[in-house]
Amino acid sequence: MQFSESWLRSFCNPSLTTEQLAHALTMAGLEVEEVTPAAPPFTQVVVGEILTREKHPNADKLALCTVNVGAWSALPLQIVCGAPNARVGIKVPCALVGADLSAPAGKPFLITQATVRSVESNGMLCSARELGLSTDHGGLLELADDAPVGADIREYLSLNDSKFLIKLTPNKADCLSVYGVAREVHAITGAPLVAEPVASVTATLTEVLPVKVLAPDLCGRFAGRVIRGVNAKASTPAWMRERLEKSGQRSITALVDISNYVMLEVGRPTHVFDLDKVHGGLEVRWAKKGESLKLLNGNTVALDENVGILADAQAVESLAGIMGGDSTSVSLDTANVYVEAAFWHPLAIQGRARRFNFATDAGHRFERGVDWATIPAHLDRITALILEICGGEAGPMDDQIISIPERKPVTMRILRAQKVIGVAVSGDQMASIFTRLGLTHTRSPEAFTVTAPSFRFDIEIEEDLIEEIARIYGFDNIPAMPPLARAVMRSQPEAQRSLHALRARMASQDYFEVINYSFVDEAWERELIGNPDPIKLLNPIASQMAVMRSSLIPGMLANIQYNASHKADRVRVFELGKVFARDASVVDGALSVAGISQPLRLAGAAFGGALPEQWANPKRTTDFFDVKADLAAVLPDDVRFEAAEHPLLHPGRSARIVLGNATLGWLGELHPKHLARFELSSAPIVFELDVAPLQQLPVVSHVAVSKQPLVRRDMALVVTNSVHSDVLVTTMRAAAPAYVRGVEVFDVYRGAGLPDGAKSVAIRVLMQDTERTLADTEIEGACQQMLSAAKQQHGATLRT
């Protein structure tokens, strides 16, 4: 929103410089994006009056004028001018000899005495563009008839002024007017606030245009008045035109200018109908499908039941709260008008203009909320200006109140406000702030109860009031204090591995950490993970990020896809993060949400070569066993890998990782059917593990180093192919006596010399006692003990 500083100071004039005022507004939440001078700097330009105009003797398109510049010259100046509107009697800006117009021209431009086609010229008559006031260069800038001849044009046109450009947040609809900003300046500085402009109108007509409001959810209050006998050709006063131009509004006609002026002054959009073009009365209602309207901007729009309109007996005449129709627009021939001012419910206006690909100042205000209580006063204000400028006679006001919003009291706790702001703002200071903001309030020892005025649509909860206190108290007055945390020595549990240690171990295995969004594509959850009921977001930031992830793996597959598309032939990544699944047993807590479990997972993916390309090793693709070996860095020693199927993994090349009787995670090769989705040339190996078991560590205990010799025995056991090697080893470890230090598989053989469907598992057994040398009988006894357990549970036989 743009306006002039002088207009603002006419309502509230604090003892601050322009820069200080801009800073104060910005720190109160009304960001001043730009402060610019009302006109570029120039000198020696005065009000001149054309006394005579004659044709130039040597040029058809030039004229020879004599100009009175008052005390600046004892005799009228002779000036050559080519403007088409140069005529006797008008007053225009006159640049004297010596005037510097370099700034408006954008280049050095000094007015000197010159000879134009053999005729002497002693100055220059100026257009608005030549003074940098606008882009209009169709002729001289004509001044008012009462402009004092010889007056400095900067003083006369108030060009030693500044224009403020303010960027408002959507909640500050009350500041979409000069008076609204003045209210804020009063609240910020305490400077006196001039009362809002009012006018008293005496009705001299009895005529009332019948209006029916058929949609209370569209219009909450509607007021209008008939004015007859107006002169639409009347000139807009210079003071109004000046304020409009400094606000970025070009002057159109007096009736339109008055409507725009009141909107900028007090934030009240109104609409002026040509009364003679209205057939019968008006209806305020929702449009019907199939109706259309030609707007003031020349566009014809198709309407439906979601758009509010004003219609007469024959056709739709206006888009409610957005833009009027072309058929009832005022023109220079208009003699009778109907002026309306209404309260349109914000929800009924929001988004309607964007549907038709345009925006209007009226729609911008109504969709954020416009004061409904001041409609009669503002209608009187615009009526008085029309009568003053355009003449005419006014009828009585027709004011209908249908459904206005209810303002519910909001309670703000004093201690809560002080805690949030971080400063002990006293209760008296808070009361003063509320009073300056125009917020009606009552006070108890512990709290304020505030009722928002009709022009505030952003006061609904306690935090809104705390925000008001903070910004008017002044963010500059809130000390910038760094957070203070007491240093406390905390012990690290011996039996728990930190998350940082897990990350470090994965990094040591040549994996790079990634951090992905917790929001993923719903198709990933359903098709990759097999999750039929993913947790959906109420307001996703993008359609492909609509649900919460229940697995980390799809995100890393996307990381691999991105890197592979950028010619990376070896990618190894891991992520440590939360996943989200439905779980009815979870209750609300400080870090939990009822019905949603949020376990921490560690997942990784390896794609491409097993090793970086080099001369010493042959090139080969990462396989299941490479990643299984990598996981040894983080997995407990007693985990088992059991063949199992997962919707994301290749059947026969996937395994469930089991710890005790619980599933710890999964490891396997990506299913071939998913390769095309991620545009991969080969299948990556992926894994995902629950983090909680990985953090558990055995407490370190002292074990004496044995001085006795280590005994090794190798045995080859024949079992069926269905017996997994790790299950066989687990059985033998459970049956082994205490002096058995290790039981490990070092070879598996299938082929000649073995029955069909059988394999030979070569197992190494290490035995050692810390106190004595083991006897042969003990060694053989241990071997027989483990062999018997394997035979009993798995049908194992000793290979001969």
Side-chain angles (χ1 to χ4, degrees):
M1 183 180 131
Q2 181 176 301
F3 54 87
S4 66
E5 180 182 1
S6 60
W7 195 0
L8 174 63
R9 289 185 182 272
S10 70
F11 292 126
C12 185
N13 188 15
S15 56
L16 300 175
T17 65
T18 300
E19 292 74 18
Q20 290 171 334
L21 178 58
H23 178 74
L25 287 171
T26 298
M27 295 309 295
L30 281 67
E31 181 184 356
V32 179
E33 287 193 301
E34 189 178 28
V35 178
T36 56
F42 55 79
T43 59
Q44 296 188 50
V45 180
V46 301
V47 176
E49 181 182 11
I50 299 178
L51 302 178
T52 66
R53 179 188 184 279
E54 298 177 359
K55 187 178 180 299
H56 193 289
N58 301 318
D60 294 335
K61 295 185 178 180
L62 297 178
L64 190 61
C65 301
T66 57
V67 181
N68 177 18
V69 292
W72 292 91
S73 175
L75 298 175
L77 301 178
Q78 177 176 278
I79 298 175
V80 175
C81 177
N85 64 332
R87 61 188 186 276
V88 174
I90 65 170
K91 295 178 180 179
V92 296
C94 178
L96 305 175
V97 173
D100 187 356
L101 301 183
S102 300
K107 59 184 179 181
F109 188 16
L110 191 66
I111 304 299
T112 61
Q113 189 178 61
T115 300
V116 182
R117 296 288 183 93
S118 303
V119 176
E120 186 178 278
S121 182
N122 298 291
M124 184 178 79
L125 303 182
C126 303
S127 68
R129 188 173 73 168
E130 288 161 338
L131 297 179
L133 303 182
S134 74
T135 59
D136 181 17
H137 62 288
L140 300 177
L141 175 61
E142 297 188 31
L143 305 176
D145 293 339
D146 60 354
V149 174
D152 188 324
I153 202 72
R154 298 193 70 90
E155 295 294 333
Y156 174 68
L157 294 180
S158 302
L159 298 183
N160 297 319
D161 196 1
S162 297
K163 293 184 291 186
F164 280 36
L165 181 62
I166 290 184
K167 181 180 180 181
L168 295 172
T169 52
N171 64 312
K172 292 302 291 176
D174 59 300
C175 293
L176 285 169
S177 66
V178 178
Y179 193 79
V181 177
R183 276 195 303 252
E184 290 290 302
V185 174
H186 164 67
I188 297 165
T189 65
L193 178 66
V194 175
E196 186 172 322
V198 294
S200 177
V201 176
T202 301
T204 55
L205 302 175
T206 59
E207 181 180 1
V208 174
L209 182 72
V211 177
K212 295 180 181 179
V213 179
L214 305 179
D217 54 339
L218 168 64
C219 179
R221 186 172 188 175
F222 190 95
R225 167 179 280 141
V226 170
I227 306 177
R228 288 192 174 274
V230 300
N231 176 17
K233 297 179 182 179
S235 298
T236 303
W239 61 268
M240 181 180 290
R241 191 167 59 247
E242 172 203 327
R243 286 182 170 179
L244 289 173
E245 289 172 352
K246 289 179 181 178
S247 300
Q249 299 270 0
R250 65 183 180 90
S251 178
I252 302 173
T253 66
L255 289 172
V256 175
D257 290 349
I258 292 168
S259 178
N260 288 337
Y261 180 82
V262 171
M263 179 184 69
L264 291 172
E265 182 183 53
V266 294
R268 169 68 55 196
T270 57
H271 187 65
V272 182
F273 293 87
D274 188 324
L275 183 61
D276 296 328
K277 299 176 183 178
V278 177
H279 305 90
L282 290 176
E283 286 185 348
V284 179
R285 59 176 174 83
W286 295 104
K288 300 173 184 176
K289 192 170 183 61
E291 289 183 315
S292 63
L293 172 64
K294 184 178 181 182
L295 298 167
L296 288 173
N297 60 10
N299 295 342
T300 299
V301 295
L303 308 174
D304 59 28
E305 299 86 347
N306 295 314
V307 180
I309 60 157
L310 282 81
D312 64 11
Q314 294 185 4
V316 177
E317 301 299 352
S318 175
L319 275 183
I322 299 173
M323 184 181 286
D326 180 70
S327 62
T328 54
S329 62
V330 295
S331 67
L332 295 179
D333 297 324
T334 297
N336 306 303
V337 297
Y338 179 75
V339 184
E340 65 89 355
F343 170 71
W344 307 102
H345 290 287
L347 289 177
I349 305 301
Q350 289 169 5
R352 270 57 176 191
R354 288 188 290 276
R355 289 180 52 184
F356 303 118
N357 297 318
F358 65 82
T360 65
D361 289 333
H364 183 75
R365 287 163 172 78
F366 280 124
E367 67 184 6
R368 286 160 172 76
V370 175
D371 188 1
W372 66 82
T374 53
I375 286 177
H378 292 168
L379 188 56
D380 278 344
R381 171 67 170 161
I382 190 173
T383 302
L385 288 172
I386 291 174
L387 296 178
E388 176 187 340
I389 298 169
C390 301
E393 294 182 284
M397 184 187 303
D398 174 28
D399 183 17
Q400 304 179 44
I401 299 177
I402 303 96
S403 59
I404 57 176
E406 178 187 358
R407 286 289 189 251
K408 296 181 179 179
V410 180
T411 299
M412 185 195 76
R413 295 162 290 174
I414 296 175
L415 291 179
R416 172 64 177 167
Q418 293 172 341
K419 180 178 179 180
V420 171
I421 297 170
V423 176
V425 182
S426 69
D428 291 341
Q429 287 175 298
M430 294 180 184
S432 174
I433 289 172
F434 287 147
T435 299
R436 298 202 305 272
L437 285 170
L439 302 180
T440 304
H441 61 276
T442 58
R443 180 179 174 183
S444 69
E446 297 83 20
F448 285 90
T449 299
V450 177
T451 303
S454 56
F455 58 83
R456 293 297 296 268
F457 288 77
D458 59 329
I459 306 295
E460 296 181 348
I461 58 176
E462 183 180 35
E463 284 72 16
D464 295 330
L465 294 174
I466 296 175
E467 177 189 358
E468 295 299 296
I469 295 294
R471 68 185 189 86
I472 302 302
Y473 177 78
F475 294 117
D476 285 341
N477 297 323
I478 299 176
M481 299 177 62
L484 180 63
R486 298 291 181 186
V488 178
M489 298 296 293
R490 299 185 183 276
S491 60
Q492 177 67 31
E494 277 188 277
Q496 184 174 0
R497 176 188 287 154
S498 70
L499 298 179
H500 179 71
L502 283 176
R503 292 187 175 97
R505 292 213 169 198
M506 290 305 302
S508 71
Q509 299 301 310
D510 200 21
Y511 286 81
F512 288 86
E513 185 175 11
V514 297
I515 301 175
N516 291 312
Y517 278 106
S518 297
F519 318 135
V520 297
D521 194 331
E522 186 173 355
W524 286 6
E525 284 293 306
R526 295 185 183 276
E527 298 172 16
L528 299 182
I529 308 303
N531 180 6
D533 188 21
I535 301 170
K536 296 183 179 181
L537 298 173
L538 292 178
N539 188 24
I541 60 177
S543 59
Q544 70 273 22
M545 305 176 78
V547 301
M548 302 297 290
R549 66 186 180 186
S550 63
S551 172
L552 303 178
I553 293 176
M556 282 182 294
L557 293 176
N559 298 140
I560 291 175
Q561 177 187 14
Y562 177 84
N563 284 276
S565 69
H566 286 71
K567 307 304 180 183
D569 57 2
R570 184 173 185 266
V571 184
R572 295 160 70 87
V573 293
F574 80 94
E575 181 174 9
L576 197 157
K578 286 185 177 183
V579 298
F580 306 86
R582 299 188 186 279
D583 186 347
S585 64
V586 178
V587 297
D588 269 326
L591 297 175
S592 62
V593 177
I596 307 293
S597 65
Q598 305 176 51
L600 199 59
R601 296 269 181 87
L602 173 67
F607 170 79
L611 296 169
E613 189 172 352
Q614 55 165 305
W615 62 270
N617 293 299
K619 187 175 181 179
R620 66 179 182 85
T621 302
T622 301
D623 61 22
F624 178 94
F625 297 101
D626 291 319
V627 179
K628 181 181 178 183
D630 294 336
L631 289 181
V634 295
L635 289 175
D637 294 334
D638 52 347
V639 298
R640 304 191 311 276
F641 291 81
E642 298 179 353
E645 293 188 4
H646 187 282
L648 187 62
L649 305 178
H650 190 305
R653 298 182 187 177
S654 60
R656 179 188 292 111
I657 305 174
V658 180
L659 179 63
N661 294 321
T663 298
L664 179 59
W666 288 85
L667 167 66
E669 181 181 304
L670 182 66
H671 199 293
K673 69 181 181 181
H674 300 312
L675 290 181
R677 176 191 290 269
F678 292 98
E679 302 173 351
L680 300 177
S681 58
S682 61
I685 309 301
V686 299
F687 66 86
E688 186 166 25
L689 309 169
D690 283 326
V691 167
L694 303 182
Q695 292 187 272
Q696 305 305 313
L697 292 173
V699 177
V700 178
S701 59
H702 168 71
V703 177
V705 178
S706 176
K707 298 180 181 180
Q708 306 304 319
L710 189 66
V711 178
R712 170 176 171 168
R713 290 290 185 270
D714 295 341
M715 60 180 74
L717 301 182
V718 178
V719 294
T720 61
N721 287 332
S722 61
V723 177
H724 295 287
S725 300
D726 58 347
V727 176
L728 181 62
V729 168
T730 300
T731 299
M732 296 178 68
R733 285 173 179 166
Y739 50 80
V740 173
R741 294 285 179 256
V743 181
E744 298 175 354
V745 175
F746 66 89
D747 189 27
V748 177
Y749 170 76
R750 295 181 179 89
L754 294 177
D756 291 339
K759 63 182 177 181
S760 173
V761 182
I763 297 176
R764 177 185 300 120
V765 179
L766 300 177
M767 290 174 274
Q768 187 181 48
D769 193 280
T770 58
E771 301 295 335
R772 58 187 177 81
T773 302
L774 294 174
D776 289 343
T777 55
E778 292 175 308
I779 296 170
E780 292 304 322
C783 291
Q784 288 299 322
Q785 196 172 330
M786 290 184 284
L787 183 59
S788 297
K791 182 177 182 180
Q792 182 178 357
Q793 295 189 32
H794 306 295
T797 59
L798 194 61
R799 183 180 175 191
T800 56

